[in-house]
Amino acid sequence: MNKLLFVKIIVCFLTFLLVLGAFSALGTIYKKVNEKPKTTTIELNQPKNTYIADFKIEKNDIFVLVKGKNGTSVSDKIVIVDKFGKTPNITLNLSKE
């Protein structure tokens, strides 16, 4: 009789652990699925009379083509920005001079 009680206690304990582990796994999966993607804001600090004409992402760098609006004296430039913000912006002017 004592052995049967011991087996019942072991079975209940293992069932409890199984249910606890299943709920824990479901909770972790739910958090991963509903996780919002991380966003980064990059400030280019360009004059008001410019606009972004094109951009390209390669490895850890973002290459941004910045052009001046029609009728302005702002020359076109390429701004190179590190995606992670570890290095400062690098600006390449594309003037025809």
Side-chain angles (χ1 to χ4, degrees):
M1 195 68 154
N2 246 354
K3 290 182 182 179
L4 185 60
L5 180 64
F6 182 70
V7 170
K8 285 181 181 179
I9 291 172
I10 295 294
V11 168
C12 287
F13 180 70
L14 290 177
T15 303
F16 171 76
L17 288 179
L18 180 69
V19 170
L20 181 68
F23 278 122
S24 177
L26 287 173
T28 303
I29 291 170
Y30 179 77
K31 285 180 185 177
K32 293 281 184 185
V33 167
N34 292 327
E35 192 174 68
K36 293 184 179 178
K38 297 178 182 177
T39 59
T40 304
T41 303
I42 298 173
E43 302 249 351
L44 295 179
N45 299 325
Q46 298 300 315
K48 288 183 180 181
N49 54 356
T50 60
Y51 67 97
I52 296 175
D54 194 13
F55 70 94
K56 185 174 185 179
I57 300 173
E58 287 190 16
K59 295 186 182 177
N60 291 336
D61 293 324
I62 302 173
F63 297 87
V64 182
L65 176 60
V66 179
K67 290 189 172 187
K69 291 184 180 177
N70 291 337
T72 61
S73 62
V74 178
S75 63
D76 298 346
K77 59 184 92 175
I78 296 175
V79 180
I80 304 171
V81 183
D82 183 17
K83 274 198 299 192
F84 305 109
K86 294 179 183 173
T87 59
N89 297 346
I90 300 169
T91 304
L92 305 172
N93 287 325
L94 303 175
S95 61
K96 296 178 182 178
E97 298 173 16

